[in-house]
Amino acid sequence: MDIYREQILDHYKHPRNFGSLENPDVKVEEGNVTCGDRIVIEIKSTLYPLPSTISDIKFSGVGCAISQASASMLTEKVKGMTLEDVMKLNSKDITDMLGTELTPSRIKCALLSLDVLQKAVASLQTPT
Ligand code: ZN
C-alpha cells in the first residue's frame, strides 16, 4: 500500500516556495540524522506594523518525500501568518496538514521543517 497521498507526492515533485531569498532576515538549516533529510528555511518578515508577520519565505533541501513535501506545504501555510501564530503550530497541525498516518520515524521527517521554521522565527522574535 502506498502511504504517500497524491498531494504529498505533488509537493515533493513540484515544491512550492523552493529556492532562496535575497537578503533574508533569517536563515536556518537543520538536518535529520536518522533519515538524512536537510531543510533550509529563509524568511523575510515585516516587523511593523505589529503584529509582525512572515512576508516571504523560501525553503530548500534534500531528503525523503515526507520531509520535502512537509516543508513545501508549511511554507504555503505560514506565508502571511503572524510570528506568534507560527510559534503555536504543533505536531498535530503538521499531521493534519499532511493528511496521512505517519509512523514514528516518518513523523520526525514531517516535523523537521516545523523545527527549522520555529527556530528561525524564534530568532526573529529575539530583540537584537
Ligand atoms: Zn525523511
Side-chain angles (χ1 to χ4, degrees):
M1 195 184 81
D2 189 2
I3 62 156
Y4 304 126
R5 293 174 54 156
E6 210 170 296
Q7 199 196 9
I8 293 176
L9 276 180
D10 182 56
H11 274 267
Y12 178 55
K13 287 181 190 158
H14 311 286
R16 322 298 200 270
N17 303 309
F18 193 88
S20 56
L21 293 172
E22 240 176 76
N23 307 316
D25 293 322
V26 64
K27 176 178 178 176
V28 172
E29 176 172 1
E30 289 282 324
N32 167 358
V33 282
T34 52
C35 187
D37 308 320
R38 291 205 77 78
I39 298 280
V40 183
I41 285 182
E42 299 183 13
I43 295 173
K44 262 190 186 304
S45 65
T46 51
L47 293 177
Y48 299 99
L50 293 171
S52 308
T53 59
I54 291 185
S55 55
D56 208 357
I57 180 166
K58 293 265 191 195
F59 88 97
S60 57
V62 290
C64 65
I66 293 282
S67 68
Q68 304 302 307
S70 157
S72 171
M73 287 183 205
L74 189 62
T75 57
E76 282 199 318
K77 184 183 173 76
V78 303
K79 204 184 248 190
M81 238 187 206
T82 66
L83 302 186
E84 209 181 326
D85 284 345
V86 170
M87 294 309 284
K88 286 181 194 152
L89 293 173
N90 58 36
S91 58
K92 187 178 178 303
D93 294 313
I94 299 299
T95 48
D96 285 355
M97 181 183 79
L98 290 166
T100 187
E101 295 289 324
L102 296 169
T103 62
S105 65
R106 286 294 164 196
I107 284 173
K108 275 189 193 157
C109 300
L111 292 181
L112 175 61
S113 55
L114 182 64
D115 283 350
V116 179
L117 174 67
Q118 289 183 330
K119 206 168 262 188
V121 168
S123 77
L124 285 172
Q125 288 179 316
T126 311
T128 48

